[in-house]
Amino acid sequence: DAKTTQPPSMDCAEGRAANLPCNHSTISGNEYVYWYRQIHSQGPQYIIHGLKNNETNEMASLIITEDRKSSTLILPHATLRDTAVYYCIALSGTASKLTFGTGTRLQVTL
Amino acid sequence: NAGVTQTPKFRVLKTGQSMTLLCAQDMNHEYMYWYRQDPGMGLRLIHYSVGEGTTAKGEVPDGYNVSRLKKQNFLLGLESAAPSQTSVYFCASSPPGRRGNQPQHFGDGTRLSIL
């Protein structure tokens, strides 16, 4: 599975959009981009995933560049409860064995 | 709908003791996984299972055994606990998916300390 690179930390004001970047320049054609987050010491929570098209669900939007070498997770109206570590993962295969890096620590402030 | 439930939530063991961590899921998922997370680090896969009666090794399997006798349960055993196994253990499950197209659902973790 391709290596991903994320900034170690970001800040966002409450109510503003949080845009979290991820670089996956070595991603292969059959690898999906997944986003998870981990709030405090809870279990990781699935957010969204995509292959090449942009995706949106009730939690977030995922924008994947046309060359698929990078992506951005967008939380449209961040709240204090969105403070967490966000992980971007590229993977393929029928048994999706996740490998989490160190992620981006998002701090949402008043 | 409970999702993925892990028991116990906390446990303290002495070196050399054995114990079993239980993971139960009520989503009828085929795949189940055990991960460990050490302070400041990401998750590392210990063992996984793609169906009842089958298990496979992950990235860090040494010192652990697993069993999947029933589809809904995945047990993680520590044969002889060592301080290096102090960690937070997460269980996850997912339906089967072609080409990695199925997200995993996680439990809230078991915090294990080995003295």
Side-chain angles (χ1 to χ4, degrees):
Chain A
D1 299 324
K3 177 180 167 58
T4 60
T5 304
Q6 300 175 251
S9 64
M10 293 182 63
D11 292 330
C12 179
E14 190 176 32
R16 296 294 187 104
N19 297 287
L20 289 84
C22 180
N23 180 286
H24 32 78
S25 58
T26 61
I27 196 168
S28 61
N30 64 346
E31 286 183 309
Y32 286 77
V33 178
Y34 274 79
W35 283 85
Y36 285 79
R37 73 181 182 184
Q38 194 168 19
I39 297 173
H40 198 42
S41 299
Q42 297 175 18
Q45 178 186 24
Y46 165 76
I47 301 173
I48 198 168
H49 74 286
L51 185 61
K52 22 180 196 184
N53 297 324
N54 297 337
E55 302 287 345
T56 295
N57 63 21
E58 66 279 2
M59 289 182 68
S61 295
L62 174 60
I63 308 297
I64 302 174
T65 58
E66 194 169 337
D67 64 7
R68 303 211 326 123
K69 292 185 177 182
S70 65
S71 61
T72 301
L73 177 75
I74 301 173
L75 306 178
H77 305 287
T79 70
L80 297 177
R81 285 179 291 185
D82 292 321
T83 292
V85 179
Y86 288 77
Y87 298 98
C88 167
I89 303 153
L91 77 160
S92 64
T94 54
S96 315
K97 301 184 288 291
L98 296 173
T99 300
F100 283 44
T102 52
T104 296
R105 183 171 297 276
L106 176 69
Q107 181 68 52
V108 180
T109 57
L110 292 171
Chain B
N1 188 353
V4 178
T5 303
Q6 292 184 233
T7 53
K9 296 191 185 316
F10 303 93
R11 186 73 183 266
V12 178
L13 290 179
K14 294 181 179 178
T15 298
Q17 287 185 315
S18 63
M19 79 160 295
T20 300
L21 281 64
L22 171 63
C23 177
Q25 52 96 3
D26 61 4
M27 297 173 283
N28 201 34
H29 285 169
E30 288 292 332
Y31 296 169
M32 297 187 74
Y33 314 80
W34 274 108
Y35 295 89
R36 62 177 287 175
Q37 186 173 35
D38 299 316
M41 296 181 65
L43 297 179
R44 291 185 292 170
L45 182 66
I46 304 172
H47 287 278
Y48 65 100
S49 167
V50 298
E52 183 178 319
T54 70
T55 63
K57 293 180 180 180
E59 183 186 353
V60 288
D62 294 341
Y64 304 96
N65 57 72
V66 288
S67 64
R68 184 98 182 269
L69 298 179
K70 293 182 179 181
K71 184 177 181 179
Q72 64 268 31
N73 295 337
F74 195 28
L75 278 63
L76 178 71
L78 280 70
E79 299 154 344
S80 178
S84 61
Q85 294 176 303
T86 293
S87 189
V88 181
Y89 292 84
F90 289 104
C91 176
S93 71
S94 71
R98 290 184 307 138
R99 299 156 57 109
N101 191 23
Q102 291 291 350
Q104 294 183 21
H105 300 264
F106 284 81
D108 285 334
T110 294
R111 282 145 185 82
L112 186 60
S113 293
I114 316 294
L115 305 178

